[in-house]
Amino acid sequence: MQNTFAARQRVTALYIHVPFCLHKCHYCDFYSIPFEDASLQQWHQGILKEIKLSYIAAVNGAFYTSPLHTIYYGGGTPSLVPPSLLSEQLGLISNTFGIRTDAEITLEANPGLKDISSLRALGINRLSFGLQSTSDHLLRVLGRRTTADACIKDVLRAEKAGIDRIAVDLMIGLPGQTLADLRETLSLVTKLPIGHISYYSLTIAAGTPFALRYGDRPDLLPTEELEREMYDLVLYSLENAGIFPYEISNASRRGEESRHNLVYWQADSYLGLGPAAHSYLGGVRRGNIASLFKWLERVNSLYLTASNITDKSERQSECFFPGTAEEIVDEVAARKETVLLGLRLLSGVSSRNFRKRHCAELTQEFAEQISKLQSRGLLQPEADSIRLTRLGLDLANQVFLEFI
Ligand code: SF4
């Protein structure tokens, strides 16, 4: 059955992957390579071409667009990109897809940001800092070559420079982390001008130095009970400070929810550019290759081909997407995704939205799963929605398994 909602949906969210870091943190498995000026320039030229290719694809009917509502520079370390390059990219995006005047434009940043006022002048109105912890001994364990103090200074400079929305990432479940460490971090960040906090549990990713160090030494990591206490402490402390959890791993002050990430959790369409970026367009998930040079090769060759196409039927072909089509999300899969992703939100999945999107009744479609999870105290049906209970938040993975 065709996923008609996704096929018709307008794309208003753009993600751009910046694949450079000054060094590799010990736990990280995101795609990034060492920063070099020559590679940065090549990446920049590749992004300009990929913007043009995607726009031609949209003009030729491969997917529908409207002026962008959110743009998100993620990485890697996007704050390594000079404002002059960001300006050229944002200018081209504005002249092609268009950017709404009230768009959320986020840049992920590591401490040591130089020219915050120039970023603000470009329209970047949200900075998301990778703080992780305010305990320098834990930052050293993570292999982060920065201090909490440097990050705090940047947060204050960002506020002074007029950045409207400041976010930080924190981590729990770190080797050697105690409740006292976490309490100190939460007490500090809730006093800063920060409107959005993400809190992630450490995962030991294959191929990282952490996998070698801790892969077969779980005894060196906090126990499950301690990690749950940490999660509870985060929720309690943030709520007390007026920063309300709205997703399993995210909390914000009222009105400061991440509009970009809401697109993912609402299973809406988005365009992703750059090596390792993913897109969800017209019900098809595509992934760009996680290699700067292979991605560049592909973009350059498509750009050359696209420049030589004169025949209209060829213009409608696949030849504008460097990414590989990884999955066609049909209607059956789309219904599950709406529930799986939507249950991450504390507001849950709305029956009205489900009906509008899928022309089906949520409570009928998943009657068996809902009744089973409700009886286990993991899911709470409301008048017009279903959502996780407090226990369901702790055992979310068990809930998600029921919908896969
Ligand atoms: S700065 Fe971020 S992306 Fe870069 S290595 Fe560290 S965690 Fe990974």
Side-chain angles (χ1 to χ4, degrees), residues 219-237:
D219 54 307
L220 298 177
L221 298 169
T223 59
E224 252 181 54
E225 294 73 50
L226 178 54
E227 201 175 319
R228 196 165 296 168
E229 277 184 69
M230 288 182 179
Y231 185 72
D232 287 343
L233 177 63
V234 171
L235 297 191
Y236 174 79
S237 309

Side-chain angles (χ1 to χ4, degrees), residues 18 20-32 75-77 108 110 132 142-144:
V18 182
F20 306 106
C21 286
L22 290 178
H23 65 276
K24 197 79 187 164
C25 302
H26 297 166
Y27 58 97
C28 176
D29 71 338
F30 291 124
Y31 173 63
S32 71
T77 309
E108 284 183 353
N110 272 344
Q132 317 311 353
L142 291 170
R144 292 186 69 80

Side-chain angles (χ1 to χ4, degrees), residues 309-318:
I309 289 179
T310 48
D311 187 296
K312 191 165 183 290
S313 62
E314 274 187 68
R315 270 196 254 136
Q316 284 163 349
S317 75
E318 280 282 302

Side-chain angles (χ1 to χ4, degrees), residues 177-191:
Q177 187 178 31
T178 62
L179 284 170
D181 290 325
L182 185 60
R183 208 169 281 121
E184 184 190 287
T185 295
L186 291 164
S187 151
L188 244 164
V189 294
T190 49
K191 291 190 186 88

Side-chain angles (χ1 to χ4, degrees), residues 180-303:
D181 290 325
L182 185 60
R183 208 169 281 121
E184 184 190 287
T185 295
L186 291 164
S187 151
L188 244 164
V189 294
T190 49
K191 291 190 186 88
L192 291 170
I194 290 168
H196 190 282
I197 298 180
S198 305
Y199 31 95
Y200 300 110
S201 288
L202 173 72
T203 46
I204 305 292
T208 61
F210 262 30
L212 283 180
R213 213 181 296 165
Y214 304 110
D216 53 4
R217 291 297 309 271
D219 54 307
L220 298 177
L221 298 169
T223 59
E224 252 181 54
E225 294 73 50
L226 178 54
E227 201 175 319
R228 196 165 296 168
E229 277 184 69
M230 288 182 179
Y231 185 72
D232 287 343
L233 177 63
V234 171
L235 297 191
Y236 174 79
S237 309
L238 295 184
E239 244 168 0
N240 270 350
I243 304 174
F244 298 100
Y246 68 98
E247 195 265 353
I248 289 182
S249 303
N250 288 274
S252 77
R253 297 195 189 277
R254 297 277 185 239
E256 293 209 39
E257 295 84 0
S258 164
R259 271 192 236 158
H260 189 82
N261 287 342
L262 280 168
V263 167
Y264 302 143
W265 299 319
Q266 287 163 354
D268 287 338
S269 303
Y270 53 90
L271 173 65
L273 307 178
H278 283 78
S279 301
Y280 181 47
L281 301 170
V284 181
R285 292 197 186 281
R286 296 173 188 277
N288 283 353
I289 191 161
S291 154
L292 174 64
F293 298 102
K294 287 187 183 152
W295 165 78
L296 269 174
E297 231 173 57
R298 179 96 180 112
V299 168
N300 285 333
S301 126
L302 288 178
Y303 195 75

